[in-house]
């Protein structure tokens, strides 16, 4: 189900994540990356799917990009810190 509407994409992906269908959610979000790769909520959903699928490098990229877009988003910083901590990347 491809869509050009960010709200439709986010709602559908949020439902998949809520149902713990992370692989399907990840694949669905990747299909829309060319449209929404600079949208904060989109990046957070991708990152959350990646964390749950143990795709830590991709999660790291998503949350790093998210904090570049919105440096005051606490959720993005939290997950970024969690990934850094798990990889002993903090200084």
């Amino acid at each position: 189900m491809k869509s050009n509407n960010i709200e439709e994409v986010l709602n559908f992906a949020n439902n998949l994540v809520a149902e713990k269908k992370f692989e399907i959610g990840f694949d669905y979000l990747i299909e829309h990356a060319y449209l929404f790769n600079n949208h904060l909520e989109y990046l957070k959903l991708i990152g959350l799917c990646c964390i749950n699928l143990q795709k830590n490098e991709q999660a790291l990229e998503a949350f790093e990009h998210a904090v570049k877009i919105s440096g005051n988003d606490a959720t993005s910083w939290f997950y970024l810190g969690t990934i850094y901590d798990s990889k002993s990347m903090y200084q």
Side-chain angles (χ1 to χ4, degrees), residues 41-90:
E41 295 304 317
Y42 171 86
L43 291 166
K44 291 190 315 188
L45 274 172
I46 282 273
L48 188 57
C49 286
C50 288
I51 285 173
N52 283 281
L53 295 169
Q54 298 179 345
K55 297 180 179 192
N56 291 335
E57 290 302 317
Q58 287 176 285
L60 181 65
E61 289 176 21
F63 287 115
E64 283 179 339
H65 193 77
V67 298
K68 285 180 185 172
I69 290 172
S70 179
N72 61 354
D73 182 67
T75 303
S76 297
W77 279 109
F78 171 79
Y79 282 112
L80 187 59
T82 301
I83 296 166
Y84 282 165
D85 187 53
S86 72
K87 297 175 68 86
S88 299
M89 293 178 66
Y90 54 88

Side-chain angles (χ1 to χ4, degrees), residues 24-42:
I24 297 168
F26 175 79
D27 291 342
Y28 178 74
L29 289 165
I30 289 297
E31 286 180 26
H32 294 85
Y34 70 99
L35 291 171
F36 306 122
N37 198 37
N38 287 316
H39 189 280
L40 179 63
E41 295 304 317
Y42 171 86

